[in-house]
Amino acid sequence: MITVLCPGSFDPITVGHIDIITRARDLFGSVLVGVGRNNQKQYLFGDQRIDLVREALDGMDGVDVSPIEGLLVDFCRERGITAVIKGLRFGADFDFELQMAHMNRGLTGLETVLLPAAAEHVTLSSTILREVMKLGGDVTPYVPDVVARAIEAWRSEPVD
Ligand code: ADP
């Protein structure tokens, strides 16, 4: 069994992310979900993203969650993680992930495994969910219950 890292912003975590995490766990046995914390980025759910990921994945065997700051390759090296797993939805994901994969491999030898998104989640992105949420649309079919509840709370007190 090896541990792979599933990194992302998870702003918020969706059923598409959970599908990739579950399949990665089934393939490799153990997954660390890394929730990126980047000071340059403005997150809608801030640090609450990490709690939402933890609660959404609570009770899943072989799945742990950690915030990630700094360079991904350093985070992996410190923990003995040799591969990251990324979900691939469409061409734009591929173009970006290919560049990142080569950069990370060049930096420390960290490998990248690209897993095709499930057909039913292939068009789902947190970015679009945030836009729909802000405009009052119902995104509950696309998120775990814990996120649906957080969105309800956010609606009664929106941050922007
Ligand atoms: P997004 O791109 O939706 O804002 P993240 O930055 O959190 O999400 O993405 C983290 C990882 O999850 C990336 O590898 C991304 O390709 C993958 N991912 C995001 N949404 C989906 C989905 N619907 N199906 C499969 N993989 C996804």
Side-chain angles (χ1 to χ4, degrees), residues 7-10 16-17 20 86-87 89 93 97 117 121 124-127:
S9 303
F10 303 104
H17 291 125
I20 292 290
K86 303 300 294 279
R89 289 162 292 187
D93 271 355
E97 297 300 348
H121 305 313
L124 179 56
S125 82
S126 299
T127 308

Side-chain angles (χ1 to χ4, degrees), residues 37-43 69:
R37 263 165 131 187
N38 179 343
N39 290 338
Q40 318 282 57
K41 278 197 183 177
Q42 280 255 316
Y43 299 109
E69 277 164 45

